[in-house]
């Protein structure tokens, strides 16, 4: 951990040169060196703030300000997403976006990924998120994705809450048909509530994908509520996709209410 820290002395305890927070602790990405006004890569600082509360749980805040929190090195074509993890609240205090540019390549999930690779996750809350996905190829906005091998392990996600997320510039790869999902959840998801979402300039506003196999039942989608969504300049407002074995019911209790679309079908991806 090398990012500068400007936190109150009472807010942290140093352990082996790192920072560990007590349960329920509130921290800020700014304490770890993230900046919305300077030309810096804020990704390491954002990830460090989330890592600090990952074990005990707590809240990480994204301060408001002028500009945006740029993530990724424009000279690097293969980037990693930001991983949140269990028992974490990520809260925006203003409208300053966490953003990437067109060079970004998310592995899965999106710029903001709600699960760490190979791990189960529970009790994640995202409040007032502002995500600029940079119109990057193969990139999504906020979500939970998995690689092929992870479908075969019991890495599930439970109790996810997204309140008032705003995601934009999620056009994806028009030629290759990859990315472009503003809010996306793949495999092994239970008890998700998305409320009062806004999506602009995306291929798909909300995407739910289940593997749907009797042998990997943990890949099912269960108990998902989308309560309020305004989508503008999208190809599709919502997509429910079941893969592998269509004879197995892998979508359970999915409800979507209050969906409104403007200029639907005008995304650059087909």
């Amino acid at each position: 951990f090398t990012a500068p820290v400007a936190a109150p002395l009472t807010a942290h305890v140093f352990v082996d040169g790192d920072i560990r927070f007590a349960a329920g602790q509130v921290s800020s990405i700014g304490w770890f060196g993230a900046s919305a006004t300077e030309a810096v890569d804020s990704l390491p600082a954002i990830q460090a703030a989330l890592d600090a509360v990952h074990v005990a749980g707590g809240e990480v805040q994204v301060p408001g300000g002028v500009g945006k929190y740029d993530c990724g090195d424009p000279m690097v074509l293969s980037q990693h997403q930001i991983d949140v993890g269990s028992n974490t609240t990520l809260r925006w205090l203003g409208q300053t976006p966490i953003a990437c540019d067109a060079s970004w390549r998310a592995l899965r999930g999106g710029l903001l990924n709600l699960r760490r690779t190979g791990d189960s996750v529970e009790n994640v809350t995202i409040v007032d998120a502002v995500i600029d996905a940079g119109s990057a190829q193969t990139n999504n906005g906020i979500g939970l994705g998995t690689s092929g091998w992870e479908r075969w392990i019991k890495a599930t996600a439970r109790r996810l809450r997204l309140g008032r997320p705003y995601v934009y510039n999620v056009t994806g790869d028009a030629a290759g048909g990859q990315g472009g999902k503003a809010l996306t959840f793949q495999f092994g998801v239970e008890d998700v509530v998305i409320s009062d979402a806004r999506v602009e300039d995306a291929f798909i506003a909300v995407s739910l994908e289940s593997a749907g196999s009797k042998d990997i039942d943990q890949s099912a989608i269960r108990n998902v509520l989308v309560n309020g969504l305004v989508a503008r300049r999208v190809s599709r407002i919502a997509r429910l996709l079941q893969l592998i074995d269509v004879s197995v019911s892998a979508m359970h209790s999915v409800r979507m209410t209050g969906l409104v679309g403007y200029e639907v079908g005008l995304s650059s991806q087909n």
Side-chain angles (χ1 to χ4, degrees):
F1 172 65
T2 58
V5 177
L9 291 177
T10 57
H12 60 264
V13 177
F14 286 93
V15 178
D16 296 331
D18 202 350
I19 294 177
R20 295 289 182 261
F21 288 85
Q25 176 67 57
V26 176
S27 68
S28 168
I29 64 173
W31 297 355
F32 293 80
S35 175
T37 58
E38 300 178 15
V40 298
D41 178 3
S42 290
L43 187 151
I46 296 170
Q47 190 63 65
L50 290 165
D51 289 347
V53 302
H54 172 55
V55 176
E59 178 173 309
V60 175
Q61 297 180 343
V62 180
V66 178
K68 57 185 178 179
Y69 294 100
D70 284 314
C71 292
D73 184 343
M75 301 304 293
V76 179
L77 295 181
S78 181
Q79 304 286 354
H80 296 274
Q81 70 277 354
I82 299 166
D83 294 324
V84 180
S86 293
N87 304 313
T88 301
T89 295
L90 182 59
R91 185 186 305 272
W92 271 248
L93 302 181
Q95 294 296 306
T96 306
I98 288 179
C100 64
D101 64 19
S103 67
W104 186 274
R105 299 290 187 275
L107 295 180
R108 52 195 159 271
L111 175 56
L112 191 62
N113 188 46
L114 304 185
R115 179 173 68 199
R116 293 159 187 264
T117 301
D119 287 345
S120 295
V121 65
E122 60 184 11
N123 303 324
V124 175
T125 301
I126 310 294
V127 182
D128 295 322
V130 184
I131 297 292
D132 178 355
S135 300
Q137 296 183 356
T138 74
N139 194 24
N140 300 311
I142 302 174
L144 186 150
T146 182
S147 64
W149 65 266
E150 286 182 292
R151 302 176 194 172
W152 299 94
I153 62 176
K154 294 186 179 298
T156 56
R158 298 183 177 91
R159 294 182 293 281
L160 310 178
R161 301 290 183 265
L162 278 69
R164 300 178 299 276
Y166 175 34
V167 184
Y168 58 99
N169 291 337
V170 206
T171 52
D173 179 8
Q178 296 179 319
K181 293 167 282 190
L183 303 168
T184 178
F185 298 88
Q186 298 177 327
F187 316 126
V189 178
E190 300 179 12
D191 191 12
V192 178
V193 177
I194 302 170
S195 58
D196 300 320
R198 283 194 300 151
V199 173
E200 295 181 355
D201 299 301
F203 177 37
I204 301 172
V206 179
S207 178
L208 303 178
E209 301 177 22
S210 170
S213 170
K214 62 184 179 181
D215 298 320
I216 47 174
D217 187 56
Q218 67 270 20
S219 66
I221 302 289
R222 296 183 175 90
N223 302 324
V224 175
L225 171 63
V226 179
N227 185 19
L229 167 67
V230 176
R232 187 182 300 273
R233 294 184 298 277
V234 300
S235 286
R236 304 178 191 175
I237 296 177
R239 180 180 71 169
L240 277 65
L241 179 64
Q242 182 166 312
L243 305 174
I244 302 179
D245 186 353
V246 297
S247 67
V248 177
S249 177
M251 291 279 182
H252 307 273
S253 186
V254 175
R255 294 177 293 161
M256 298 188 181
T257 64
L259 274 60
V260 179
Y262 300 96
E263 302 175 78
V264 176
L266 298 183
S267 168
S268 63
Q269 189 184 80
N270 296 315

